[in-house]
Amino acid sequence: MKKVILYARVSLIDLNLENQLIPLRKQCELRDLTVVAEFSDHASGTSSDRPQLRKALAAMNSQNADVLMVA
């Protein structure tokens, strides 16, 4: 079974990350993929600072993940 890390980002603090994460989780379930970690950022599209994305990319190696799914 392939290992997956999920990443989602919203630009406004009042937007709901679950609206992105739920479909990603469902796709993993349908494809028999195992989610090993989830990361998310609240950041404006004009900002290039994505600390959780950096953590997700680092986790690809430390978790021996096969796939990074991004909403």
Side-chain angles (χ1 to χ4, degrees), residues 3-66:
K3 296 179 185 177
V4 178
I5 291 177
L6 304 181
Y7 174 77
R9 180 194 65 84
V10 293
S11 58
L12 299 174
I13 199 74
D14 60 338
L15 293 177
N16 188 346
L17 285 164
E18 289 298 308
N19 291 338
Q20 295 178 23
L21 291 171
I22 289 171
L24 289 176
R25 292 178 194 133
K26 184 66 175 173
Q27 285 301 311
C28 291
E29 181 182 322
L30 291 172
R31 295 176 179 173
D32 205 26
L33 305 171
T34 301
V35 176
V36 294
E38 294 182 8
F39 296 89
S40 58
D41 279 312
H42 284 91
S44 167
T46 61
S47 172
S48 62
D49 184 33
R50 305 275 191 273
Q52 293 299 308
L53 178 57
R54 285 194 304 276
K55 288 181 181 179
L57 293 171
M60 289 293 296
N61 290 327
S62 66
Q63 299 270 350
N64 290 325
D66 303 297

